[in-house]
Amino acid sequence: SLNDKKSINSLNDGAGLRIVVNKDNKKVWKFIYTLNGIRKDTSFGTFPKVTLAGARIKAKEFRELLENNIDPLENKKELKQLQQESKKQKQHQINTIVDDYFKLAQHNKGLADITIRKFMSRLENHFYPHLKEKEKTIIHNISFDDIVKALQVLEKDNKLETLSRIKRVIVNVFKFAYTENIIKDTEIFGKLELKTFKLQKDTKGNPTLTKQEDIKNFYNSILNYDNKIVRYALLLTIHTAQRQGSIRTAKWIDIDFDNKVWIIPAENMKMNKEHNLPLSNQMIDYLKELYLLTGTNQYLFPNQQHKNKYMSENTVNNAIRKMEFTKDQQTAHGLRAMFKTVCKENQTKHNLNNEFVERILAHKTEGAVEGAYNRAENIEDMRVIVQWWSDYLEDLKERVK
């Protein structure tokens, strides 16, 4: 009886299959065979976890392989190796790598699902169709020329914004693959970063108000906005002239109240470079007021619906619309143009150095500032302009009757 531990040391089922009781009194299924004069044995598991019927099925499979002069154990190794290679191949498919890249990007940068879906759609429509095996193409089989040909189609169709976005994603995906040791060199993304295509002409720009009376009305609309947290988001946007990506993701840990500096991490900057921005006295006061509302959260502007997330990308623009300024009059991004335009108009009168205006906007400059902008004296030079701008805005508030 198979269930009687003491009654057997081994029991032969025939044709190479037997059950053996080991030192621990465990009943182990053994299959013994000879191929090309070499005797081998293997285990099918223990009884009763593996039943007699199960062991016989396995033994039959092994016998069928032996009849065809195939070593069952070597065949098992080969199948396992093929499975591993198949798994590795799937991991190296471009769509799998893109998925992994966006998972990491979403975790690190808090990308909205809709933003990722847009990027995915662009790749599916304009990049994958040009590859040999579409989205299942192994990344090692994608050449620089393959990528360029796909982008040249967009260039020919004058879809230049889509081209720019797809190029940036492809560069980032190949960089990700390099850091994950999937690809071994930097040639493709290095060359792609240097490759130039036709640039999109800015035909519509970012609408902004430039007349002082209009700016006054806009600023006072901000000060009277009903949602306090969004009001401070509007104030931070107009006083600092920073991009919404930096505003929305701002963390309290990045605000240096003592030195009145906002240290914007590289990952929150368009140019992927840390930005040290001096803050005006007024903005520091506004931030202290905001801290009483959101200081227990890591973000200055937490998302009200999703814990540990920051406010959505359309919040400030929606607020501007609610303040009854149309998208043709003012946008959130257009507040950067407002700052630059007013500074330009007052450049001579108030000695506002244009290089430092560009530095505040985190634009790349060609002057001496570029190489040494992080030095304390350059921060203070920027501070003069930031403070002047806040004084300009606050003076508009003071003149309201």
Side-chain angles (χ1 to χ4, degrees), residues 212-321:
Q212 183 169 294
E213 190 65 25
D214 292 334
I215 296 174
K216 180 175 74 172
N217 291 334
F218 182 79
Y219 190 62
N220 282 278
S221 294
I222 291 177
L223 295 172
N224 291 297
Y225 194 75
D226 54 0
N227 185 308
K228 288 185 178 180
I229 294 177
V230 177
R231 183 195 307 162
Y232 287 112
L234 285 158
L235 286 168
L236 187 62
T237 302
I238 194 170
H239 276 272
T240 66
Q242 298 305 296
R243 297 179 179 89
Q244 283 302 291
S246 301
I247 300 287
R248 293 166 51 236
T249 56
K251 294 180 179 180
W252 286 113
I253 196 172
D254 300 327
I255 305 296
D256 184 345
F257 282 100
D258 292 335
N259 294 304
K260 298 179 183 179
V261 175
W262 176 15
I263 304 168
I264 308 176
E267 61 266 23
N268 294 343
M269 292 296 299
K270 182 179 179 180
M271 302 299 289
N272 199 33
K273 187 176 185 180
E274 184 180 282
H275 187 41
N276 295 330
L277 181 74
L279 296 169
S280 67
N281 295 329
Q282 293 93 333
M283 199 61 244
I284 287 292
D285 289 338
Y286 284 134
L287 287 173
K288 287 179 179 178
E289 293 171 9
L290 176 62
Y291 189 82
L292 298 176
L293 300 175
T294 67
T296 57
N297 194 287
Q298 64 173 324
Y299 295 108
L300 274 66
F301 308 108
N303 191 303
Q304 301 302 307
Q305 280 75 42
H306 303 285
K307 189 177 180 181
N308 297 325
K309 287 276 190 176
Y310 40 79
M311 72 179 185
S312 65
E313 59 184 330
N314 294 318
T315 301
V316 169
N317 273 320
N318 289 339
I320 294 173
R321 301 292 86 77

Side-chain angles (χ1 to χ4, degrees), residues 55-76:
R56 284 174 173 171
I57 290 172
K58 194 68 178 175
K60 183 181 178 183
E61 293 173 358
F62 271 43
R63 292 188 198 107
E64 288 174 351
L65 290 170
L66 289 166
E67 287 172 6
N68 291 289
N69 205 37
I70 297 172
D71 190 327
L73 292 181
E74 292 300 320
N75 183 68
K76 185 177 180 181

Side-chain angles (χ1 to χ4, degrees), residues 92-95 98 123-151 166 170 173-174 188:
H92 288 185
Q93 288 176 188
I94 187 64
N95 61 336
V98 167
L123 292 172
E124 289 165 2
N125 293 327
H126 304 292
F127 181 53
Y128 294 159
H130 300 280
L131 301 179
K132 297 178 181 68
E133 296 179 46
K134 311 303 180 190
E135 71 277 4
K136 294 185 179 180
T137 304
I138 304 301
I139 193 170
H140 306 94
N141 297 333
I142 301 174
S143 69
F144 173 73
D145 289 340
D146 291 333
I147 299 171
V148 170
K149 285 177 182 178
L151 296 178
I166 291 178
I170 294 173
V173 167
F174 271 76
I188 287 183

Side-chain angles (χ1 to χ4, degrees), residues 92-109:
H92 288 185
Q93 288 176 188
I94 187 64
N95 61 336
T96 303
I97 297 170
V98 167
D99 287 342
D100 291 342
Y101 163 73
F102 276 118
K103 285 176 185 175
L104 183 64
Q106 185 171 41
H107 178 272
N108 289 347
K109 299 183 180 180

